[in-house]
Amino acid sequence: MTTSLSPEDRLRAAGQRITSQRLLLLRLLDASDGHLDAESLFHAAQQEMPEINLSTIYRNLEVLTRAGLVAQRYFARDHSREYFELATTAEHYHFTCTQCGKIIEFETPLIAQVRSDLKRQHNVNIRHACICFEGLCPDCIPQSQP
Amino acid sequence: MTTSLSPEDRLRAAGQRITSQRLLLLRLLDASDGHLDAESLFHAAQQEMPEINLSTIYRNLEVLTRAGLVAQRYFARDHSREYFELATTAEHYHFTCTQCGKIIEFETPLIAQVRSDLKRQHNVNIRHACICFEGLCPDCIPQSQP
DNA sequence: TCCTTTTTGCGAATGATTTGCAAATATCGG
DNA sequence: CCGATATTTGCAAATCATTCGCAAAAAGGA
C-alpha cells in the first residue's frame, strides 16, 4: 500500500515534479468527497492560489491520472463532464441519483467477476473499465404510503 | 416483444411523427453493426438524402433515444463522442480494443445481479447503467511465441 | 548556483453537440 | 382530399468543456 505516503512522496514515487499546484490539487481532492470536476477544483484552488489557471488544473489532472494518483470518473448518463477522485481509495463504483444528484458509492465483487469472465470467454486483456449507474435514491423514490 | 414492428410502427407506437429522416436513421442503424456516431450516420445518410443536416441527425438521435428506439453508448475511455445502436437488441455490454478499435459485445447476468444487490442493499432504483471495457483484443495482444 | 527540462499563466483554438429561426412537412378534423 | 396547427427541418451561429501554443517562471540535477 502506498496510501500512507505524503503527497510529495507520492508525486516523487510516480516520477513527477513537485509543484505547489499539484500539491494543492491533491489536498483538495483529499479534503473533498472526491467527486469534483475541473471547474469546481479550479474555484476551490483559487481560494488559496488566486493566480492559478484553469488549464493548469486540467493539465495536472491528466498528469496525476496518468501517474495513477487520481482517477477520472463519469457519473450518471451525462458524460460531458469529467470528475476526479483520489486513486488511493479501494475499488468501488458509483450510483448517481438523477433527481437530487447524490452519489452513492458501493463495492461489489461482481464487476471483478465480469472482468474475469470476459477475459476467459473472449481472451481479451482488459485495461480499463468505465462503470456507473443512475436512478433514484431512497429519498427520491416516490412512496406508495406516507 | 416489439422487435417485429416496422420502423413506421415503432415510431407511431412511441408517439413520434414519421419523417423520412427518422426512417432513414433507423434503417442505417439497422443495417450497421450499431456502433455509429452522429458524424458517421450523417455521412451515411447523405448518400441517400444529400440535403439532410447534421443537426437533424442529432435532434433525431435524441428523439429516438428518448422514445426508447435507440440506445446511446460510450465506447472505450474517450467519452467525448457518443455512439448509437438500435434498442431492439438484448441487453449487452461492450469491450473496445484500443489498438484496432474492434468492439466485442457480450452478455452477462452479473450486471442484473449488481442491480438487484444494489436495490437490496441501498434501496436504490437503478434506471440506467453505463458499462464499458477497453483493452486489447486477442488479435492485438502481443504473443510470446509465434 | 547555473543549466536544462518541465510547468505555468494566458489567450486563443477545438470539436462535438445545441440552439434560434423561418420555411417545409406531418397529423388530424372535417 | 383540404386546410389549420403543431412539429420538424435546414441553415448558421452559439455553447462549453477541454486542449494547445507560447513565452515567462519554477523545479531538479550537476
Side-chain angles (χ1 to χ4, degrees):
Chain A
M1 285 294 163
T2 60
T3 321
S4 54
L5 292 178
S6 70
E8 278 91 343
D9 286 339
R10 279 189 275 156
L11 280 169
R12 235 186 304 269
Q16 301 304 136
R17 290 200 175 181
I18 295 160
T19 69
S20 53
Q21 293 88 343
R22 289 176 185 174
L23 293 174
L24 175 54
L25 267 184
L26 289 174
R27 189 146 32 84
L28 290 172
L29 283 167
D30 188 44
S32 79
D33 59 2
H35 304 141
L36 299 176
D37 62 3
E39 193 75 28
S40 312
L41 282 163
F42 176 51
H43 289 315
Q46 280 185 310
Q47 307 296 101
E48 294 191 39
M49 193 181 283
E51 73 284 9
I52 198 173
N53 192 273
L54 183 55
S55 342
T56 302
I57 304 285
Y58 275 106
R59 272 185 297 233
N60 282 326
L61 283 172
E62 205 218 319
V63 166
L64 296 172
T65 299
R66 300 216 301 187
L69 304 188
V70 163
Q72 179 268 320
R73 305 280 177 226
Y74 292 106
F75 296 127
R77 200 186 300 246
D78 170 33
H79 291 212
S80 67
R81 189 182 241 95
E82 304 181 342
Y83 294 83
F84 297 87
E85 63 185 7
L86 284 188
T88 46
T89 45
E91 172 118 340
H92 62 278
Y93 309 95
H94 300 86
F95 168 91
T96 307
C97 179
T98 49
Q99 191 80 48
C100 67
K102 181 166 55 193
I103 294 173
I104 297 175
E105 302 188 347
F106 64 97
E107 298 182 28
T108 171
L110 294 173
I111 302 295
Q113 201 183 327
V114 172
R115 278 178 184 255
S116 59
D117 283 3
L118 189 54
K119 182 157 197 163
R120 186 150 17 79
Q121 287 172 30
H122 293 275
N123 196 32
V124 298
N125 193 348
I126 300 176
R127 290 279 178 75
H128 179 78
C130 171
I131 289 159
C132 59
F133 299 89
E134 73 175 40
L136 294 179
C137 75
D139 297 342
C140 296
I141 294 178
Q143 303 298 324
S144 338
Q145 39 216 334
Chain B
M1 286 295 159
T2 59
T3 320
S4 55
L5 291 179
S6 70
E8 279 90 344
D9 286 339
R10 278 190 275 155
L11 280 168
R12 235 187 303 270
Q16 301 303 134
R17 292 200 172 182
I18 295 160
T19 70
S20 52
Q21 293 87 344
R22 289 175 186 175
L23 293 175
L24 176 53
L25 268 183
L26 289 174
R27 189 146 32 84
L28 291 172
L29 284 167
D30 189 43
S32 79
D33 60 1
H35 303 141
L36 299 176
D37 62 1
E39 194 75 26
S40 313
L41 282 164
F42 176 50
H43 289 315
Q46 281 185 310
Q47 307 296 101
E48 294 192 38
M49 194 182 281
E51 74 281 10
I52 198 171
N53 192 273
L54 184 54
S55 348
T56 303
I57 305 286
Y58 275 106
R59 272 185 295 231
N60 281 327
L61 283 171
E62 206 219 319
V63 166
L64 296 173
T65 299
R66 300 216 301 186
L69 304 187
V70 163
Q72 179 268 322
R73 306 278 177 229
Y74 293 106
F75 296 127
R77 200 187 300 247
D78 171 31
H79 290 213
S80 67
R81 189 182 241 94
E82 304 182 341
Y83 294 82
F84 297 87
E85 63 185 6
L86 284 188
T88 48
T89 45
E91 172 121 340
H92 63 277
Y93 309 96
H94 301 85
F95 169 91
T96 307
C97 178
T98 50
Q99 191 80 49
C100 67
K102 181 165 56 192
I103 293 173
I104 296 175
E105 303 188 346
F106 64 97
E107 299 182 28
T108 172
L110 294 172
I111 302 298
Q113 200 181 329
V114 172
R115 283 176 186 254
S116 60
D117 282 4
L118 202 48
K119 180 153 197 163
R120 189 151 14 80
Q121 286 172 31
H122 293 274
N123 196 32
V124 298
N125 195 348
I126 297 179
R127 290 278 178 75
H128 179 76
C130 171
I131 290 161
C132 58
F133 296 92
E134 74 174 40
L136 296 178
C137 75
D139 297 342
C140 295
I141 294 176
Q143 303 297 324
S144 336
Q145 39 216 334

